[in-house]
Amino acid sequence: MRRAVLGVGRAAAWRIRAGAESGQQRQRSPPLSPVPAPPPPAFRFVSRPGPAGSESETVEQSPPQSPGPGKAGDAPNRRSGHVRGARVLSPPGRRAHLSSPGPSSSSEAREELRRRLRELIERSRVMIFSKSYCPHSTRVKELFSSLGVECNVLELDQVDDGAKIQEVLSGITNQKTVPNVFVNKVHVGGCDQTFQAYQSGLLQKLLEEDSAYDYDLIIVGGGSGGLSCAKEAAILGKKVMVLDFVVPSPQGTSWGLGGTCVNVGCIPKKLMHQAALLGQALCDSRKFGWEYDQQVKHKWETMTKAIQNHISSLNWGYRLSLREKAVAYVNSYGEFVEHHKIKATNKKGQETYYTAAQFVIATGERPRYLGIQGDKEYCITSDDLFSLPYCPGKTLVVGASYVALECAGFLAGFGLDVTVMVRSILLRGFDQEMAEKVGSYMEQHGVKFLRKFIPVMIQQLEKGSPGKLKVLAKSTEGTETIEGVYNTVLLAIGRDSCTRKIGLEKIGVKINEKSGKIPVNDVEQTSVPYVYAVGDILEGRPELTPVAIQSGKLLARRLFGASLEKCDYINVPTTVFTPLEYGCCGLAEEKAIEVYKKENLEIYHTLFWPLEWTVAGRENNTCYAKIICNKLDHDRVIGFHILGPNAGEVTQGFAAAMKCGLTKQLLDDTIGIHPTCGEVGNRRF
């Protein structure tokens, strides 16, 4: 039976409502009973004399420990698999053993098998995992034979536990089929990919006799994802370079190592948000007994100097960290010129060329401009705001993204006159009920909104710090035009991927021509086998710093044999740091309805009044929370949303619970911490 009780005040209860939308739900598999796996096959390469003075190599099965006649483990009909190839790489008499691991757990056995497969790949110029009856495998082997290329072949159907080998191999390559081809340690792929590489010239490049590169890995971009990947690869003993160059904004703003988040994103944004919250705390403090007679005002220059000093210390820390891990850092602009080769151009125009076995693109995004008269000449973006040397004064914020609303929020918190010009909706991609509540709160606290308008021209009326700008805007729903005069115009209308001017077309890396984003598979591999990508430039991935850090670290571990773990992009939490913070994890209500249908959803929601707001006399029935549950899956929580103080801190814990399969019943069974905003998620309805 539904209960539709809307609570008021701190005793607010959940109310239940049908229908909804929000983030993505992670599919949960039923628990698996542990089944001991057989130990991986013990095989070794043995060099044998071949015809006409050549050699061939055979994979021999080490004799198993027989459990006795007729017992499990006998394989009387299995044949030893053969490594067939034109000529072999190993000199006469060389033996490359893949010794049998001792008794171990299933996971240890898999890790040992994976390690031995890695060794096999790394010591072979060409390594083909094949099946003797597969016509596609035969085509690939014939291709290398026609090129006169020496290769090693492991026929998985002729080796005991070939299925287990293929399973472990698929974890390394993300390919479940044969043939599975490696050339000079680079995974080329299957039959089609190998012939495509041959036709494009990439295969010939990989097969060049001089396979030595300057670096094992070059990372293009020194932001969160790139630095994470670089440091992890260096820890694993690889020779790594980071190329990072910040092209100045149209206003001339540039910054140091660390990328958007550290320099012109999350870090300065959160600090300015905190500065604005302190202003609100000053107002509240009088109700709590604090008395002060001196007029209190905010000084922009003091704040920006302190924030930039902190950012400079972070920049230095990143450089020091790279130096300690022996990662080469080059402050130059990277551009691919041919396969495995990149040109680095420094600020003086000097060019240097480097080669690497593998590359990671982590170039991030930069703010978009309107493409109208006066935008690049007179407007600023978030690239410029956080180090702006003067107070922006009366400000027009163009856009309704989270960047737009966050910046508008803290500028208004400093007492500035702020207007937000909105083309369509607030916080596209977020839950729209929550987005409208964010906008409503901001409007009640002094931020003005111009809905359904877009600028068409920016004119400078006066120079100065700040000066005066006239903005002409038109309606998106009719012919109406309006004018306004502002000291500063801040553009926050979206960001463009930095992928179009780094030579990707020269090596065949495909991008989405409309967005500039790079399509990748689930191991962040691009259309070119030795090139990977992480961070905001990935198509269909969350544009969040922690996501870039995690994916970069895990990518390095997979590339260099430390792990098979992939980045989990499902149910990633985030927070919009508007004056009243909005935290969420999982699906928005609109998306949940699209995916699961309205009739299969249950939505519980409540208004609440934080204890801290009571004495201060701040608004009741303003803070809000809701969860979206899938009725077909035991009321699994597929969307969590909260609007209130410290929403980011609250959401983090619920995100972990959702990763573990949180249900409404589990929420009801959890005892909350009183008195906190977080306990709203644990109240019974």
Side-chain angles (χ1 to χ4, degrees):
M1 179 177 179
R2 296 179 186 273
R3 300 183 61 180
V5 179
L6 174 60
V8 179
R10 288 196 55 80
W14 288 107
R15 63 172 172 148
I16 184 172
R17 179 157 62 88
E21 189 248 347
S22 180
Q24 300 175 346
Q25 182 194 15
R26 186 179 182 182
Q27 296 295 324
R28 291 174 55 81
S29 301
L32 298 176
S33 302
V35 178
F43 47 84
R44 60 178 183 169
F45 279 101
V46 182
S47 300
R48 301 183 186 277
S54 68
E55 285 186 341
S56 63
E57 289 191 358
T58 305
V59 173
E60 293 186 343
Q61 290 295 130
S62 298
Q65 297 291 331
S66 175
K71 295 184 179 180
D74 287 349
N77 296 321
R78 300 295 290 178
R79 296 173 293 165
S80 296
H82 296 281
V83 175
R84 302 183 180 92
R87 289 173 296 278
V88 296
L89 297 175
S90 53
R94 168 176 167 258
R95 291 173 179 265
H97 296 280
L98 291 172
S99 58
S100 174
S104 60
S105 67
S106 173
S107 61
E108 290 172 343
R110 286 176 60 85
E111 283 300 305
E112 176 62 15
L113 176 56
R114 183 183 59 80
R115 183 189 64 77
R116 290 187 287 125
L117 287 173
R118 282 282 188 186
E119 288 179 356
L120 178 57
I121 293 164
E122 290 182 2
R123 72 174 186 226
S124 302
R125 184 186 182 201
V126 176
M127 185 66 223
I128 303 173
F129 295 91
S130 169
K131 289 184 179 177
S132 61
Y133 55 80
C134 173
H136 303 294
S137 298
T138 300
R139 285 187 64 205
V140 167
K141 287 179 279 191
E142 289 174 349
L143 172 63
F144 285 105
S145 179
S146 70
L147 296 173
V149 173
E150 302 164 336
C151 56
N152 291 333
V153 180
L154 179 59
E155 305 288 6
L156 298 179
D157 60 314
Q158 296 183 357
V159 179
D160 283 342
D161 286 333
K164 179 64 68 176
I165 297 171
Q166 189 169 359
E167 179 186 345
V168 174
L169 185 65
S170 71
I172 297 173
T173 65
N174 198 41
Q175 178 185 325
K176 297 180 180 180
T177 58
V178 294
N180 211 327
V181 181
F182 292 82
V183 178
N184 279 328
K185 299 183 285 189
V186 173
H187 180 235
V188 176
C191 179
D192 289 347
Q193 291 88 347
T194 302
F195 275 88
Q196 288 169 7
Y198 171 64
Q199 291 163 4
S200 70
L202 173 58
L203 187 63
Q204 294 86 324
K205 179 70 177 177
L206 292 173
L207 286 169
E208 286 181 357
E209 289 298 326
D210 182 11
S211 61
Y213 298 107
D214 299 328
Y215 291 89
D216 296 307
L217 179 67
I218 290 180
I219 295 167
V220 187
S224 301
L227 293 178
S228 172
C229 187
K231 289 186 284 188
E232 194 68 22
I235 289 171
L236 295 171
K238 300 303 174 181
K239 188 177 181 183
V240 184
M241 169 182 279
V242 171
L243 287 174
D244 184 63
F245 186 86
V246 179
V247 177
S249 75
Q251 299 299 326
T253 308
S254 188
W255 51 85
L257 186 63
T260 295
C261 173
V262 168
N263 294 280
V264 290
C266 316
I267 299 300
K269 176 269 302 289
K270 180 68 183 295
L271 291 173
M272 288 194 175
H273 172 63
Q274 175 63 17
L277 292 181
L278 289 173
Q280 179 65 59
L282 280 171
C283 296
D284 292 349
S285 68
R286 292 186 183 275
K287 294 290 184 67
F288 284 89
W290 290 95
E291 298 179 0
Y292 47 90
D293 299 324
Q294 184 178 357
Q295 182 181 0
V296 178
K297 62 180 181 178
H298 181 263
K299 189 172 183 181
W300 177 271
E301 293 79 7
T302 301
M303 175 189 67
T304 53
K305 181 180 178 181
I307 289 174
Q308 290 304 312
N309 285 342
H310 176 66
I311 290 172
S312 295
S313 72
L314 296 177
N315 298 148
W316 173 249
Y318 287 127
R319 296 188 66 167
L320 185 62
S321 179
L322 293 181
R323 184 184 306 168
E324 289 173 345
K325 292 175 174 59
V327 174
Y329 163 57
V330 178
N331 184 206
S332 295
Y333 187 90
E335 181 182 358
F336 289 95
V337 292
E338 60 182 74
H339 283 299
H340 290 279
K341 190 173 186 179
I342 198 165
K343 177 177 70 176
T345 307
N346 66 17
K347 60 183 178 181
K348 296 180 180 179
Q350 297 170 331
E351 298 176 354
T352 309
Y353 294 85
Y354 302 98
T355 61
Q358 300 186 91
F359 290 82
V360 172
I361 305 168
T363 47
E365 297 182 315
R366 297 292 292 272
R368 186 177 303 147
Y369 282 79
L370 290 163
I372 63 173
Q373 179 182 331
D375 62 345
K376 290 187 177 180
E377 294 87 348
Y378 308 124
C379 299
I380 66 170
T381 68
S382 56
D383 280 357
D384 312 293
L385 178 64
F386 301 112
S387 58
L388 199 66
Y390 54 84
C391 179
K394 183 181 180 181
T395 302
L396 173 68
V397 178
V398 181
S401 64
Y402 73 91
V403 174
L405 298 190
E406 288 175 339
C407 292
F410 64 66
L411 290 175
F414 302 148
L416 303 182
D417 184 331
V418 179
T419 301
V420 178
M421 185 175 288
V422 182
R423 177 176 62 90
S424 54
I425 62 173
L426 303 181
L427 297 178
R428 183 178 301 278
F430 289 86
D431 186 283
Q432 283 304 291
E433 180 183 24
M434 305 302 292
E436 285 301 319
K437 287 182 177 294
V438 167
S440 176
Y441 182 88
M442 292 177 65
E443 203 159 16
Q444 291 170 19
H445 287 76
V447 177
K448 296 182 285 290
F449 283 83
L450 283 173
R451 301 266 188 160
K452 308 294 184 179
F453 277 91
I454 55 172
V456 293
M457 186 173 65
I458 314 289
Q459 290 181 320
Q460 187 180 60
L461 300 179
E462 293 180 13
K463 293 183 178 181
S465 301
K468 282 188 178 180
L469 302 172
K470 183 171 77 171
V471 179
L472 176 65
K474 70 173 184 179
S475 170
T476 61
E477 297 182 332
T479 59
E480 182 185 0
T481 61
I482 57 173
E483 288 184 358
V485 177
Y486 304 91
N487 299 120
T488 300
V489 177
L490 171 67
L491 303 182
I493 57 173
R495 300 172 67 82
D496 292 321
S497 298
C498 301
T499 57
R500 300 187 189 276
K501 297 180 180 180
I502 59 174
L504 296 182
E505 71 284 354
K506 296 176 184 175
I507 60 171
V509 173
K510 295 178 181 178
I511 67 171
N512 182 314
E513 290 300 328
K514 183 178 180 180
S515 67
K517 289 185 176 291
I518 301 177
V520 295
N521 59 21
D522 64 352
V523 289
E524 289 81 48
Q525 187 180 45
T526 71
S527 57
V528 174
Y530 64 87
V531 180
Y532 296 79
V534 296
D536 291 357
I537 57 173
L538 297 191
E539 186 173 57
R541 302 289 199 269
E543 298 178 14
L544 297 167
T545 296
V547 171
I549 293 172
Q550 177 80 337
S551 61
K553 177 176 65 177
L554 294 179
L555 172 59
R557 291 178 180 175
R558 289 195 308 274
L559 288 179
F560 302 115
S563 170
L564 300 179
E565 184 180 358
K566 302 172 187 177
C567 186
D568 184 357
Y569 293 99
I570 303 301
N571 284 343
V572 176
T574 190
T575 295
V576 181
F577 289 98
T578 39
L580 192 56
E581 296 176 8
Y582 165 35
C584 61
C585 181
L587 296 174
E589 187 172 328
E590 296 82 5
K591 188 66 176 178
I593 292 174
E594 177 188 327
V595 173
Y596 294 101
K597 308 303 180 187
K598 185 174 181 178
E599 62 270 21
N600 297 322
L601 300 176
E602 210 78 277
I603 300 177
Y604 303 86
H605 58 160
T606 184
L607 295 164
F608 64 98
W609 196 17
L611 179 64
E612 297 88 334
W613 287 24
T614 56
V615 171
R618 296 176 65 182
E619 306 95 323
N620 193 354
N621 287 341
T622 298
C623 298
Y624 180 72
K626 73 175 176 180
I627 55 172
I628 302 163
C629 300
N630 179 8
K631 292 194 291 187
L632 300 181
D633 187 19
H634 308 289
D635 269 348
R636 185 89 54 207
V637 178
I638 59 174
F640 172 86
H641 303 267
I642 185 167
L643 183 67
N646 304 304
E649 312 298 336
V650 173
T651 304
Q652 183 68 68
F654 285 96
M658 288 177 66
K659 287 285 186 186
C660 297
L662 180 67
T663 64
K664 179 60 170 64
Q665 186 61 52
L666 286 172
L667 269 179
D668 292 343
D669 293 343
T670 302
I671 298 173
I673 302 171
H674 183 72
T676 66
C677 291
E679 70 175 320
V680 70
N682 306 117
R683 295 181 189 150
R684 297 183 66 85
F685 63 96

